[in-house]
Amino acid sequence: MALKLLWLHADGHCQCHLSLLLRLVACLALVLLLPPPPAQAATVVTHLPGFDGPLPFYLETGYVGVEEETGTELFYYFVESERSPRSDVVLLWLSGGPRCSVFSGFVYEIGPVMFVAERYSGGTVPRLEYNPYSWTKLASILFVDSPVGSGFSYAHDPKGYDVGDISSSMQIVKFLRKWLDDHPKYLSNPFYIGGDSYAGKVVPLITQYLSEGIEEMRHPIINLKVGYLVGNPSAGDKIDVNSRVPYSHSFGVISDQLYEAALANCKGDYENPTNKPCTDVMQTINNLMSEVLEPACPFDWPWPMPGRDASNRKSLTEEHYWLGDPPVEPPFSCFAAYRYYLSYFWANDNATRAALGIKEGTVTEWIRCATGLPYTRDLPSSIECHFNVTTRGYRALVYSGDHDPIVPFSGTQAWIRSLNFSIVDDWRAWHLDGQAAGFTIKYANNLTFATIKGGCHIPPENRPKESFIMAKRWLAGGPL
Ligand SMILES: *[C@@H]1O[C@H](CO)[C@@H](O)[C@H](O)[C@H]1NC(C)=O
Ligand SMILES: *[C@@H]1O[C@H](CO)[C@@H](O)[C@H](O)[C@H]1NC(C)=O
Ligand SMILES: *[C@@H]1O[C@H](CO)[C@@H](O)[C@H](O)[C@H]1NC(C)=O
Ligand SMILES: *[C@@H]1O[C@H](CO)[C@@H](O)[C@H](O)[C@H]1NC(C)=O
């Protein structure tokens, strides 16, 4: 009954301006008359298929409705901090794509479990083990499948899938508000939002919406200490794509002659070649960039394969997709790619679905990155949002794996510089175990940029320890 009362207040259906007693009586009467609220269907998960024994952390999954007309519900995995959940940061995390399931963040990046490195031959589900570098040792993490159509998030009405940067960001704000209404014990924790790759483009927009809400006291509930972090973040296609050519040159992937030919023929716009010499040189450059740097893992390299996808623009939305649905088995020797393949069998198993509380008839086939749905890129660039929120006092960490040709660190570094913030802590190495783990610079307005040496497009995937330490130092408020 107490829960139902809370729900009535939360949705504003019981605006009784009476004495507390009268209010209680009135609300009770309403509760008795009304059907039960639509289940915010939370499932406490104590065991996961493939994981040996009870989970050594608190995991809850569930759905939050974000659009009534289309019956849109976003699915989430919430892991409580394994350190001090009462005081640790609550971090809302999003994966890129757009429309890669946040299960990627949960199982390959910063989440508490990972696939055991062994070949899968069917039968039971692929096995999982504990991730020693899980960021859930630092923060409670709310992993959200967004935009709708990612992972287990769904809409009853197909029209619900037609979202874009702006509408999906607004849905996250709504999601968060409702989720916190249902989980009031986290209201006083510092709140952060994070994401990588394409999600890095919308994270500052969502932060801006939240900050506006806080300023107008529409969301007085969220702790003012909101900040954000983004990894190898898309800033807008033009910026990301145009930085790939100078990056590949400085990285020794293309020759001086090719670089000069690109400069002369493309006039700085590598995204949409408008003449044949530019198209030709870009084809050569793309082919060279599709060569594998390290290790020899063709499926792991999220880059357009020659002849498969001539357009760079498309490749960013299709990172890692070429495993197919259902996926083809990649070489086991390339476990980084092989584990993408495993997720399909894990997530589509009935035991998994039962454990996670997946609603029947919603998502019949889970795919890691759902590309076939409409998506509107209606935020051309996120730079202004970064400016808006950092100058409003919200802390930001932008990090880049420096071995990433999709969103090269050089492009990221350049747009950060274009904000014209003064330097507070000048460019220097940051260290781990006596070695440089990357380089960093801190600007005014609490904006930190850091590289992770050797990190790929998603640094926690191949530099888990460095990424973990970086997050730990930054979340604690200190220098890297
Ligand atoms: C899994 O569940 C679906 C839906 O309930 C059912 O149609 C299917 O037969 C089940 N698969 C197995 C292998 O039990
Ligand atoms: C940045 O903030 C200004 C002032 O509040 C606002 O007008 C502008 O739309 C914001 N930019 C973006 C991209 O939302
Ligand atoms: C930077 O962040 C710290 C800690 O949250 C805060 O106290 C300080 O006011 C911020 N500085 C600026 C310039 O926003
Ligand atoms: C940064 O400075 C440059 C050169 O002075 C100027 O063109 C640009 O508009 C400034 N950017 C911002 C965000 O103020």
Side-chain angles (χ1 to χ4, degrees):
M1 194 59 85
L3 272 176
K4 285 182 183 170
L5 277 174
L6 189 74
W7 174 79
L8 281 168
H9 281 297
D11 277 23
H13 291 167
C14 189
Q15 303 278 356
C16 317
H17 299 282
L18 300 167
S19 75
L20 182 63
L21 185 67
L22 274 178
R23 195 154 70 179
L24 274 174
V25 169
C27 285
L28 278 171
L30 270 176
V31 166
L32 296 176
L33 290 173
L34 289 172
Q40 293 282 351
T43 305
V44 176
V45 184
T46 57
H47 291 73
L48 275 181
F51 190 92
D52 203 13
L55 296 177
F57 48 85
Y58 174 84
L59 170 65
E60 178 193 308
T61 58
Y63 296 88
V64 173
V66 291
E67 194 177 71
E68 264 159 42
E69 311 86 81
T70 52
T72 298
E73 298 202 306
L74 300 185
F75 183 76
Y76 69 87
Y77 305 78
F78 174 69
V79 183
E80 195 173 62
S81 172
E82 297 167 62
R83 188 175 60 179
S84 317
R86 285 172 60 95
S87 55
D88 281 342
V89 162
V90 173
L91 171 64
L92 185 149
W93 190 264
L94 301 170
S95 286
R99 284 209 174 90
C100 288
S101 170
V102 81
F103 183 66
S104 301
F106 185 82
V107 80
Y108 308 121
E109 304 171 28
I110 64 168
V113 294
M114 55 192 201
F115 284 113
V116 175
E118 63 187 8
R119 202 180 283 270
Y120 176 66
S121 50
T124 59
V125 293
R127 291 199 304 139
L128 294 167
E129 63 188 345
Y130 185 68
N131 172 16
Y133 298 116
S134 176
W135 293 16
T136 55
K137 287 176 165 173
L138 312 170
S140 295
I141 308 184
L142 184 50
F143 295 91
V144 186
D145 265 333
S146 173
V148 57
S150 318
F152 287 120
S153 292
Y154 73 98
H156 276 300
D157 182 338
K159 284 198 203 86
Y161 292 107
D162 195 355
V163 291
D165 297 328
I166 291 172
S167 51
S168 67
S169 296
M170 288 183 158
Q171 289 185 347
I172 287 291
V173 173
K174 191 159 183 187
F175 170 96
L176 187 63
R177 200 176 180 184
K178 286 179 132 187
W179 190 87
L180 283 170
D181 279 342
D182 281 349
H183 299 79
K185 71 172 172 168
Y186 301 107
L187 286 174
S188 57
N189 294 62
F191 179 79
Y192 284 79
I193 169 161
D196 42 28
S197 189
Y198 196 84
K201 185 174 154 199
V202 292
V203 161
L205 180 63
I206 299 166
T207 310
Q208 179 174 305
Y209 289 155
L210 289 171
S211 78
E212 285 164 357
I214 289 167
E215 276 159 26
E216 291 165 22
M217 298 306 281
R218 274 191 286 123
H219 306 275
I221 50 173
I222 296 168
N223 191 325
L224 289 169
K225 267 181 267 172
V226 67
Y228 68 99
L229 66 163
V230 286
N232 293 62
S234 168
D237 289 341
K238 203 172 180 69
I239 297 155
D240 306 331
V241 171
N242 283 347
S243 62
R244 288 174 192 167
V245 171
Y247 172 86
S248 62
H249 179 236
S250 66
F251 219 86
V253 175
I254 63 169
S255 66
D256 289 348
Q257 292 90 321
L258 277 170
Y259 183 52
E260 282 157 16
L263 282 181
N265 293 308
C266 301
K267 310 270 186 262
D269 184 2
Y270 307 111
E271 191 191 2
N272 302 301
T274 51
N275 58 63
K276 189 159 186 321
C278 175
T279 308
D280 290 348
V281 74
M282 285 310 296
Q283 182 67 44
T284 310
I285 290 176
N286 281 337
N287 287 348
L288 286 164
M289 289 182 85
S290 70
E291 296 287 338
V292 176
L293 290 182
E294 60 166 337
C297 294
F299 300 98
D300 180 38
W301 193 243
W303 192 252
M305 306 301 264
R308 181 185 287 265
D309 180 359
S311 136
N312 277 333
R313 183 191 173 88
K314 213 171 160 219
S315 74
L316 188 62
T317 68
E318 293 192 344
E319 54 194 58
H320 320 301
Y321 292 164
W322 48 81
L323 290 180
D325 306 306
V328 206
E329 186 175 2
F332 178 69
S333 59
C334 181
F335 191 67
Y338 194 86
R339 60 193 180 165
Y340 291 152
Y341 164 78
L342 294 180
S343 63
Y344 182 87
F345 303 98
W346 189 85
N348 284 313
D349 191 274
N350 284 352
T352 299
R353 287 163 174 256
L356 296 178
I358 302 306
K359 294 184 186 175
E360 287 221 9
T362 55
V363 175
T364 46
E365 184 188 25
W366 180 96
I367 47 181
R368 203 178 71 79
C369 294
T371 52
L373 296 167
Y375 187 85
T376 315
R377 293 162 177 244
D378 44 12
L379 179 69
S381 151
S382 60
I383 299 175
E384 196 177 311
C385 297
H386 284 285
F387 180 86
N388 281 356
V389 284
T390 49
T391 53
R392 279 179 197 158
Y394 299 108
R395 301 180 67 217
L397 170 66
V398 181
Y399 63 89
S400 292
D402 66 7
H403 277 50
D404 175 22
I406 301 173
V407 183
F409 75 90
S410 45
T412 307
Q413 193 184 358
W415 68 250
I416 290 178
R417 189 174 170 206
S418 78
L419 298 172
N420 299 336
F421 294 167
S422 56
I423 295 170
V424 170
D425 184 1
D426 211 347
W427 188 265
R428 61 173 174 81
W430 66 276
H431 297 93
L432 176 62
D433 301 333
Q435 299 280 324
F439 296 85
T440 183
I441 184 168
K442 185 172 174 185
Y443 289 94
N445 299 308
N446 278 331
L447 171 62
T448 300
F449 172 65
T451 66
I452 296 176
K453 198 158 58 94
C456 292
H457 183 52
I458 309 284
E461 289 194 2
N462 77 324
R463 289 289 182 271
K465 188 175 179 187
E466 288 81 355
S467 303
F468 174 82
I469 293 296
M470 174 195 69
K472 184 176 182 183
R473 292 179 188 163
W474 183 76
L475 285 173
L480 297 188

PDB file of all heavy atoms in Angstrom, residues 193 199-211 228 230 233-234 379 382-389 415:
ATOM      1  N   ILE A 193      26.392  11.145 -15.576  1.00  0.00           N
ATOM      2  CA  ILE A 193      25.901  10.420 -16.745  1.00  0.00           C
ATOM      3  C   ILE A 193      27.091  10.190 -17.669  1.00  0.00           C
ATOM      4  O   ILE A 193      27.989  11.025 -17.754  1.00  0.00           O
ATOM      5  CB  ILE A 193      24.738  11.173 -17.401  1.00  0.00           C
ATOM      6  CG1 ILE A 193      24.373  10.603 -18.757  1.00  0.00           C
ATOM      7  CG2 ILE A 193      24.972  12.637 -17.537  1.00  0.00           C
ATOM      8  CD1 ILE A 193      22.989  11.011 -19.177  1.00  0.00           C
ATOM      9  N   ALA A 199      26.973   7.446 -28.131  1.00  0.00           N
ATOM     10  CA  ALA A 199      26.296   7.960 -26.929  1.00  0.00           C
ATOM     11  C   ALA A 199      27.009   9.206 -26.405  1.00  0.00           C
ATOM     12  O   ALA A 199      26.391  10.066 -25.773  1.00  0.00           O
ATOM     13  CB  ALA A 199      26.238   6.889 -25.845  1.00  0.00           C
ATOM     14  N   GLY A 200      28.312   9.296 -26.693  1.00  0.00           N
ATOM     15  CA  GLY A 200      29.062  10.469 -26.256  1.00  0.00           C
ATOM     16  C   GLY A 200      28.558  11.755 -26.883  1.00  0.00           C
ATOM     17  O   GLY A 200      28.830  12.850 -26.395  1.00  0.00           O
ATOM     18  N   LYS A 201      27.803  11.628 -27.968  1.00  0.00           N
ATOM     19  CA  LYS A 201      27.234  12.817 -28.595  1.00  0.00           C
ATOM     20  C   LYS A 201      26.002  13.299 -27.837  1.00  0.00           C
ATOM     21  O   LYS A 201      25.785  14.506 -27.704  1.00  0.00           O
ATOM     22  CB  LYS A 201      26.875  12.506 -30.055  1.00  0.00           C
ATOM     23  CG  LYS A 201      26.380  13.698 -30.829  1.00  0.00           C
ATOM     24  CD  LYS A 201      26.184  13.327 -32.288  1.00  0.00           C
ATOM     25  CE  LYS A 201      25.149  14.203 -32.934  1.00  0.00           C
ATOM     26  NZ  LYS A 201      24.612  13.601 -34.163  1.00  0.00           N
ATOM     27  N   VAL A 202      25.192  12.376 -27.341  1.00  0.00           N
ATOM     28  CA  VAL A 202      23.957  12.802 -26.666  1.00  0.00           C
ATOM     29  C   VAL A 202      24.118  13.002 -25.161  1.00  0.00           C
ATOM     30  O   VAL A 202      23.316  13.700 -24.549  1.00  0.00           O
ATOM     31  CB  VAL A 202      22.774  11.842 -26.954  1.00  0.00           C
ATOM     32  CG1 VAL A 202      22.360  11.942 -28.402  1.00  0.00           C
ATOM     33  CG2 VAL A 202      23.088  10.418 -26.574  1.00  0.00           C
ATOM     34  N   VAL A 203      25.163  12.442 -24.571  1.00  0.00           N
ATOM     35  CA  VAL A 203      25.354  12.605 -23.122  1.00  0.00           C
ATOM     36  C   VAL A 203      25.383  14.091 -22.704  1.00  0.00           C
ATOM     37  O   VAL A 203      24.688  14.471 -21.767  1.00  0.00           O
ATOM     38  CB  VAL A 203      26.600  11.828 -22.621  1.00  0.00           C
ATOM     39  CG1 VAL A 203      27.089  12.337 -21.280  1.00  0.00           C
ATOM     40  CG2 VAL A 203      26.278  10.335 -22.536  1.00  0.00           C
ATOM     41  N   PRO A 204      26.148  14.968 -23.408  1.00  0.00           N
ATOM     42  CA  PRO A 204      26.101  16.374 -22.981  1.00  0.00           C
ATOM     43  C   PRO A 204      24.730  17.016 -23.192  1.00  0.00           C
ATOM     44  O   PRO A 204      24.352  17.926 -22.439  1.00  0.00           O
ATOM     45  CB  PRO A 204      27.175  17.055 -23.839  1.00  0.00           C
ATOM     46  CG  PRO A 204      27.511  16.100 -24.912  1.00  0.00           C
ATOM     47  CD  PRO A 204      27.164  14.732 -24.441  1.00  0.00           C
ATOM     48  N   LEU A 205      23.987  16.545 -24.189  1.00  0.00           N
ATOM     49  CA  LEU A 205      22.639  17.084 -24.400  1.00  0.00           C
ATOM     50  C   LEU A 205      21.722  16.676 -23.242  1.00  0.00           C
ATOM     51  O   LEU A 205      20.968  17.493 -22.707  1.00  0.00           O
ATOM     52  CB  LEU A 205      22.068  16.597 -25.737  1.00  0.00           C
ATOM     53  CG  LEU A 205      20.659  17.092 -26.075  1.00  0.00           C
ATOM     54  CD1 LEU A 205      20.640  18.614 -26.224  1.00  0.00           C
ATOM     55  CD2 LEU A 205      20.145  16.431 -27.354  1.00  0.00           C
ATOM     56  N   ILE A 206      21.812  15.416 -22.840  1.00  0.00           N
ATOM     57  CA  ILE A 206      20.998  14.952 -21.715  1.00  0.00           C
ATOM     58  C   ILE A 206      21.403  15.711 -20.451  1.00  0.00           C
ATOM     59  O   ILE A 206      20.551  16.151 -19.674  1.00  0.00           O
ATOM     60  CB  ILE A 206      21.170  13.425 -21.513  1.00  0.00           C
ATOM     61  CG1 ILE A 206      20.700  12.674 -22.760  1.00  0.00           C
ATOM     62  CG2 ILE A 206      20.415  12.957 -20.283  1.00  0.00           C
ATOM     63  CD1 ILE A 206      21.131  11.220 -22.808  1.00  0.00           C
ATOM     64  N   THR A 207      22.704  15.902 -20.279  1.00  0.00           N
ATOM     65  CA  THR A 207      23.186  16.659 -19.110  1.00  0.00           C
ATOM     66  C   THR A 207      22.608  18.074 -19.139  1.00  0.00           C
ATOM     67  O   THR A 207      22.188  18.610 -18.116  1.00  0.00           O
ATOM     68  CB  THR A 207      24.731  16.707 -19.102  1.00  0.00           C
ATOM     69  OG1 THR A 207      25.232  15.389 -19.272  1.00  0.00           O
ATOM     70  CG2 THR A 207      25.248  17.288 -17.796  1.00  0.00           C
ATOM     71  N   GLN A 208      22.571  18.648 -20.331  1.00  0.00           N
ATOM     72  CA  GLN A 208      22.011  19.998 -20.452  1.00  0.00           C
ATOM     73  C   GLN A 208      20.533  20.009 -20.070  1.00  0.00           C
ATOM     74  O   GLN A 208      20.093  20.880 -19.324  1.00  0.00           O
ATOM     75  CB  GLN A 208      22.189  20.493 -21.888  1.00  0.00           C
ATOM     76  CG  GLN A 208      21.602  21.886 -22.114  1.00  0.00           C
ATOM     77  CD  GLN A 208      21.935  22.404 -23.499  1.00  0.00           C
ATOM     78  OE1 GLN A 208      23.099  22.467 -23.871  1.00  0.00           O
ATOM     79  NE2 GLN A 208      20.923  22.771 -24.254  1.00  0.00           N
ATOM     80  N   TYR A 209      19.776  19.043 -20.564  1.00  0.00           N
ATOM     81  CA  TYR A 209      18.350  18.978 -20.192  1.00  0.00           C
ATOM     82  C   TYR A 209      18.203  18.837 -18.680  1.00  0.00           C
ATOM     83  O   TYR A 209      17.359  19.483 -18.066  1.00  0.00           O
ATOM     84  CB  TYR A 209      17.659  17.804 -20.887  1.00  0.00           C
ATOM     85  CG  TYR A 209      17.457  17.980 -22.378  1.00  0.00           C
ATOM     86  CD1 TYR A 209      17.334  16.867 -23.206  1.00  0.00           C
ATOM     87  CD2 TYR A 209      17.375  19.241 -22.954  1.00  0.00           C
ATOM     88  CE1 TYR A 209      17.143  17.006 -24.573  1.00  0.00           C
ATOM     89  CE2 TYR A 209      17.188  19.375 -24.321  1.00  0.00           C
ATOM     90  CZ  TYR A 209      17.076  18.258 -25.130  1.00  0.00           C
ATOM     91  OH  TYR A 209      16.883  18.391 -26.472  1.00  0.00           O
ATOM     92  N   LEU A 210      19.032  17.976 -18.097  1.00  0.00           N
ATOM     93  CA  LEU A 210      18.940  17.784 -16.644  1.00  0.00           C
ATOM     94  C   LEU A 210      19.311  19.072 -15.927  1.00  0.00           C
ATOM     95  O   LEU A 210      18.664  19.458 -14.955  1.00  0.00           O
ATOM     96  CB  LEU A 210      19.869  16.653 -16.192  1.00  0.00           C
ATOM     97  CG  LEU A 210      19.453  15.250 -16.595  1.00  0.00           C
ATOM     98  CD1 LEU A 210      20.558  14.259 -16.274  1.00  0.00           C
ATOM     99  CD2 LEU A 210      18.168  14.852 -15.871  1.00  0.00           C
ATOM    100  N   SER A 211      20.344  19.751 -16.419  1.00  0.00           N
ATOM    101  CA  SER A 211      20.784  20.968 -15.734  1.00  0.00           C
ATOM    102  C   SER A 211      19.719  22.050 -15.850  1.00  0.00           C
ATOM    103  O   SER A 211      19.458  22.773 -14.894  1.00  0.00           O
ATOM    104  CB  SER A 211      22.118  21.454 -16.306  1.00  0.00           C
ATOM    105  OG  SER A 211      21.927  22.124 -17.539  1.00  0.00           O
ATOM    106  N   TYR A 228      29.469  14.676 -16.045  1.00  0.00           N
ATOM    107  CA  TYR A 228      29.377  13.647 -17.080  1.00  0.00           C
ATOM    108  C   TYR A 228      30.750  13.236 -17.582  1.00  0.00           C
ATOM    109  O   TYR A 228      31.746  13.950 -17.410  1.00  0.00           O
ATOM    110  CB  TYR A 228      28.496  14.129 -18.240  1.00  0.00           C
ATOM    111  CG  TYR A 228      29.086  15.260 -19.050  1.00  0.00           C
ATOM    112  CD1 TYR A 228      29.741  15.012 -20.261  1.00  0.00           C
ATOM    113  CD2 TYR A 228      28.988  16.583 -18.628  1.00  0.00           C
ATOM    114  CE1 TYR A 228      30.270  16.040 -21.018  1.00  0.00           C
ATOM    115  CE2 TYR A 228      29.524  17.618 -19.371  1.00  0.00           C
ATOM    116  CZ  TYR A 228      30.164  17.343 -20.555  1.00  0.00           C
ATOM    117  OH  TYR A 228      30.703  18.359 -21.300  1.00  0.00           O
ATOM    118  N   VAL A 230      32.530  11.098 -21.079  1.00  0.00           N
ATOM    119  CA  VAL A 230      32.294  10.501 -22.398  1.00  0.00           C
ATOM    120  C   VAL A 230      33.595   9.920 -22.932  1.00  0.00           C
ATOM    121  O   VAL A 230      34.667  10.506 -22.762  1.00  0.00           O
ATOM    122  CB  VAL A 230      31.714  11.525 -23.404  1.00  0.00           C
ATOM    123  CG1 VAL A 230      30.256  11.813 -23.098  1.00  0.00           C
ATOM    124  CG2 VAL A 230      32.496  12.834 -23.434  1.00  0.00           C
ATOM    125  N   PRO A 233      34.062  10.097 -27.809  1.00  0.00           N
ATOM    126  CA  PRO A 233      32.707  10.538 -28.116  1.00  0.00           C
ATOM    127  C   PRO A 233      32.568  11.108 -29.519  1.00  0.00           C
ATOM    128  O   PRO A 233      33.389  11.894 -29.960  1.00  0.00           O
ATOM    129  CB  PRO A 233      32.473  11.660 -27.095  1.00  0.00           C
ATOM    130  CG  PRO A 233      33.831  12.251 -26.882  1.00  0.00           C
ATOM    131  CD  PRO A 233      34.793  11.085 -26.980  1.00  0.00           C
ATOM    132  N   SER A 234      31.518  10.707 -30.187  1.00  0.00           N
ATOM    133  CA  SER A 234      31.164  11.383 -31.415  1.00  0.00           C
ATOM    134  C   SER A 234      30.803  12.818 -31.044  1.00  0.00           C
ATOM    135  O   SER A 234      30.194  13.054 -30.008  1.00  0.00           O
ATOM    136  CB  SER A 234      29.958  10.680 -32.042  1.00  0.00           C
ATOM    137  OG  SER A 234      29.432  11.482 -33.069  1.00  0.00           O
ATOM    138  N   LEU A 379      20.886  16.480 -33.776  1.00  0.00           N
ATOM    139  CA  LEU A 379      21.851  17.342 -33.077  1.00  0.00           C
ATOM    140  C   LEU A 379      23.114  17.323 -33.942  1.00  0.00           C
ATOM    141  O   LEU A 379      23.878  16.369 -33.905  1.00  0.00           O
ATOM    142  CB  LEU A 379      22.159  16.782 -31.681  1.00  0.00           C
ATOM    143  CG  LEU A 379      23.174  17.566 -30.845  1.00  0.00           C
ATOM    144  CD1 LEU A 379      22.597  18.905 -30.408  1.00  0.00           C
ATOM    145  CD2 LEU A 379      23.625  16.765 -29.636  1.00  0.00           C
ATOM    146  N   SER A 382      27.701  18.337 -30.872  1.00  0.00           N
ATOM    147  CA  SER A 382      27.463  18.419 -29.433  1.00  0.00           C
ATOM    148  C   SER A 382      28.356  19.459 -28.762  1.00  0.00           C
ATOM    149  O   SER A 382      28.323  19.608 -27.549  1.00  0.00           O
ATOM    150  CB  SER A 382      27.681  17.051 -28.800  1.00  0.00           C
ATOM    151  OG  SER A 382      29.007  16.636 -29.036  1.00  0.00           O
ATOM    152  N   ILE A 383      29.162  20.166 -29.544  1.00  0.00           N
ATOM    153  CA  ILE A 383      30.160  21.056 -28.936  1.00  0.00           C
ATOM    154  C   ILE A 383      29.496  22.149 -28.089  1.00  0.00           C
ATOM    155  O   ILE A 383      29.928  22.441 -26.978  1.00  0.00           O
ATOM    156  CB  ILE A 383      31.061  21.676 -30.028  1.00  0.00           C
ATOM    157  CG1 ILE A 383      31.788  20.558 -30.774  1.00  0.00           C
ATOM    158  CG2 ILE A 383      32.077  22.627 -29.420  1.00  0.00           C
ATOM    159  CD1 ILE A 383      32.606  21.017 -31.945  1.00  0.00           C
ATOM    160  N   GLU A 384      28.421  22.704 -28.633  1.00  0.00           N
ATOM    161  CA  GLU A 384      27.743  23.769 -27.881  1.00  0.00           C
ATOM    162  C   GLU A 384      27.167  23.243 -26.563  1.00  0.00           C
ATOM    163  O   GLU A 384      27.161  23.952 -25.558  1.00  0.00           O
ATOM    164  CB  GLU A 384      26.637  24.363 -28.749  1.00  0.00           C
ATOM    165  CG  GLU A 384      26.133  25.697 -28.256  1.00  0.00           C
ATOM    166  CD  GLU A 384      25.081  26.273 -29.203  1.00  0.00           C
ATOM    167  OE1 GLU A 384      25.354  26.305 -30.424  1.00  0.00           O
ATOM    168  OE2 GLU A 384      24.015  26.659 -28.726  1.00  0.00           O
ATOM    169  N   CYS A 385      26.698  21.999 -26.578  1.00  0.00           N
ATOM    170  CA  CYS A 385      26.185  21.410 -25.328  1.00  0.00           C
ATOM    171  C   CYS A 385      27.308  21.243 -24.315  1.00  0.00           C
ATOM    172  O   CYS A 385      27.119  21.503 -23.126  1.00  0.00           O
ATOM    173  CB  CYS A 385      25.531  20.057 -25.574  1.00  0.00           C
ATOM    174  SG  CYS A 385      24.096  20.131 -26.619  1.00  0.00           S
ATOM    175  N   HIS A 386      28.482  20.804 -24.797  1.00  0.00           N
ATOM    176  CA  HIS A 386      29.620  20.688 -23.877  1.00  0.00           C
ATOM    177  C   HIS A 386      29.910  22.054 -23.263  1.00  0.00           C
ATOM    178  O   HIS A 386      30.137  22.177 -22.059  1.00  0.00           O
ATOM    179  CB  HIS A 386      30.872  20.203 -24.625  1.00  0.00           C
ATOM    180  CG  HIS A 386      30.865  18.740 -24.960  1.00  0.00           C
ATOM    181  ND1 HIS A 386      31.079  17.761 -24.019  1.00  0.00           N
ATOM    182  CD2 HIS A 386      30.666  18.095 -26.124  1.00  0.00           C
ATOM    183  CE1 HIS A 386      31.029  16.569 -24.610  1.00  0.00           C
ATOM    184  NE2 HIS A 386      30.766  16.740 -25.887  1.00  0.00           N
ATOM    185  N   PHE A 387      29.896  23.083 -24.121  1.00  0.00           N
ATOM    186  CA  PHE A 387      30.151  24.436 -23.633  1.00  0.00           C
ATOM    187  C   PHE A 387      29.094  24.829 -22.604  1.00  0.00           C
ATOM    188  O   PHE A 387      29.405  25.299 -21.508  1.00  0.00           O
ATOM    189  CB  PHE A 387      30.146  25.421 -24.816  1.00  0.00           C
ATOM    190  CG  PHE A 387      30.406  26.842 -24.404  1.00  0.00           C
ATOM    191  CD1 PHE A 387      31.699  27.331 -24.284  1.00  0.00           C
ATOM    192  CD2 PHE A 387      29.338  27.694 -24.117  1.00  0.00           C
ATOM    193  CE1 PHE A 387      31.933  28.641 -23.892  1.00  0.00           C
ATOM    194  CE2 PHE A 387      29.565  29.004 -23.724  1.00  0.00           C
ATOM    195  CZ  PHE A 387      30.868  29.485 -23.614  1.00  0.00           C
ATOM    196  N   ASN A 388      27.844  24.603 -22.969  1.00  0.00           N
ATOM    197  CA  ASN A 388      26.746  25.015 -22.083  1.00  0.00           C
ATOM    198  C   ASN A 388      26.836  24.381 -20.704  1.00  0.00           C
ATOM    199  O   ASN A 388      26.678  25.053 -19.695  1.00  0.00           O
ATOM    200  CB  ASN A 388      25.396  24.641 -22.720  1.00  0.00           C
ATOM    201  CG  ASN A 388      24.975  25.622 -23.806  1.00  0.00           C
ATOM    202  OD1 ASN A 388      25.646  26.630 -24.036  1.00  0.00           O
ATOM    203  ND2 ASN A 388      23.871  25.319 -24.474  1.00  0.00           N
ATOM    204  N   VAL A 389      27.080  23.088 -20.652  1.00  0.00           N
ATOM    205  CA  VAL A 389      27.026  22.436 -19.334  1.00  0.00           C
ATOM    206  C   VAL A 389      28.296  22.641 -18.528  1.00  0.00           C
ATOM    207  O   VAL A 389      28.229  22.789 -17.311  1.00  0.00           O
ATOM    208  CB  VAL A 389      26.638  20.939 -19.404  1.00  0.00           C
ATOM    209  CG1 VAL A 389      25.164  20.804 -19.663  1.00  0.00           C
ATOM    210  CG2 VAL A 389      27.429  20.180 -20.424  1.00  0.00           C
ATOM    211  N   TRP A 415      38.262  19.924 -30.907  1.00  0.00           N
ATOM    212  CA  TRP A 415      37.029  20.630 -30.555  1.00  0.00           C
ATOM    213  C   TRP A 415      37.043  21.083 -29.099  1.00  0.00           C
ATOM    214  O   TRP A 415      36.456  22.111 -28.751  1.00  0.00           O
ATOM    215  CB  TRP A 415      35.760  19.868 -30.932  1.00  0.00           C
ATOM    216  CG  TRP A 415      35.403  18.596 -30.209  1.00  0.00           C
ATOM    217  CD1 TRP A 415      35.427  17.340 -30.727  1.00  0.00           C
ATOM    218  CD2 TRP A 415      34.928  18.445 -28.861  1.00  0.00           C
ATOM    219  NE1 TRP A 415      35.014  16.421 -29.780  1.00  0.00           N
ATOM    220  CE2 TRP A 415      34.702  17.072 -28.629  1.00  0.00           C
ATOM    221  CE3 TRP A 415      34.673  19.341 -27.819  1.00  0.00           C
ATOM    222  CZ2 TRP A 415      34.236  16.570 -27.410  1.00  0.00           C
ATOM    223  CZ3 TRP A 415      34.214  18.841 -26.601  1.00  0.00           C
ATOM    224  CH2 TRP A 415      34.004  17.477 -26.409  1.00  0.00           C
TER     225      TRP A 415
END
